[in-house]
Amino acid sequence: MNIILLGPPGAGKGTQAKRIVEKYGLVQLSTGDMLRAAVANQTEIGLRAKDIMVRGDLVPDEVVVGIIAERIDEPDCGNGFILDGFPRTVAQAEALGDLLHKRGRKIDHVIQLEVDDEALVGRIEQRAKETGGERKDDNADTLRSRLAVYHESTAPLLPFYAAKNALKKVDGMASMDDVTVAIDKILV
Ligand code: AMP
């Protein structure tokens, strides 16, 4: 089973992805985590991505598509994966569709976590406190630009997947446990 979790930054994609991974034996593929690792290891991709990420902008499509294309070929992805933070543009979604098609695979569920922007600012500030500011992009200013980028570049994925009858919505403002239950109902 292959899943996409969609929603703005701070919507709870990472938390829910981890829960789904445990329950269904899938692999969580977070392009944000992979890019942060690349920055920490000062790889070529990391050096390219660093400033873009601090600003809250998007890393070029071909970079993230390349990362995902390599990663899904690894054996641990054989049982399925959950994409968290990818795709983030229609071009990425199209590239994903092509590369899955070439491998005889497909996306089974696209789940949107619906949340309200103002509530997100509070959540991100909370995450910054909990992680001791480990993520340089967790602050109210960067969040506003990440939200603007989300609405401009990522929100068009909603009609894109809705047109394929693939989109399922979950109320992301509910408690974390209720969100997990709602996702579970879609997956079983
Ligand atoms: P995230 O952890 O998903 O919030 O991602 C953190 C940052 O990594 C984003 O603000 C972007 O700069 C970059 N990033 C992560 N995933 C993508 C993606 N699919 N496309 C472009 N940039 C990405």
Side-chain angles (χ1 to χ4, degrees), residues 1-2 24-27 75-81 105:
M1 177 162 69
N2 303 317
Y24 294 89
L26 307 175
V27 175
D76 63 337
C77 289
N79 187 41
F81 49 78
R105 303 179 74 171

Side-chain angles (χ1 to χ4, degrees), residues 31-32 35-36 53 57-59 64 85-86 88 92 135 137 146:
T31 39
L35 289 166
R36 278 185 287 280
M53 291 173 74
D57 286 340
L58 293 184
V59 172
V64 283
F86 179 93
R88 255 178 161 95
Q92 291 178 18
R135 282 186 55 159
D137 58 356
R146 288 164 69 209

Side-chain angles (χ1 to χ4, degrees), residues 4 48 56 172 184:
I4 296 175
R48 226 176 131 187
D184 244 355

Side-chain angles (χ1 to χ4, degrees), residues 46-136:
L47 295 174
R48 226 176 131 187
K50 188 176 175 192
D51 293 344
I52 300 175
M53 291 173 74
V54 170
R55 285 199 306 272
D57 286 340
L58 293 184
V59 172
D61 290 336
E62 72 274 12
V63 173
V64 283
V65 168
I67 293 178
I68 287 292
E70 268 184 28
R71 186 66 187 84
I72 61 172
D73 284 339
E74 286 178 33
D76 63 337
C77 289
N79 187 41
F81 49 78
I82 172 153
L83 291 164
D84 148 25
F86 179 93
R88 255 178 161 95
T89 64
V90 170
Q92 291 178 18
E94 286 171 341
L96 174 67
D98 284 352
L99 67 90
L100 289 177
H101 184 71
K102 280 189 194 126
R103 290 159 173 79
R105 303 179 74 171
K106 65 177 173 58
I107 293 296
D108 299 289
H109 301 283
V110 182
I111 301 172
Q112 175 194 0
L113 297 181
E114 282 190 295
V115 286
D116 145 313
D117 277 15
E118 284 315 309
L120 292 177
V121 179
R123 281 194 189 180
I124 291 274
E125 283 172 342
Q126 188 61 34
R127 180 163 76 186
K129 274 188 217 148
E130 283 161 10
T131 59
E134 170 194 309
R135 282 186 55 159
K136 296 207 175 22

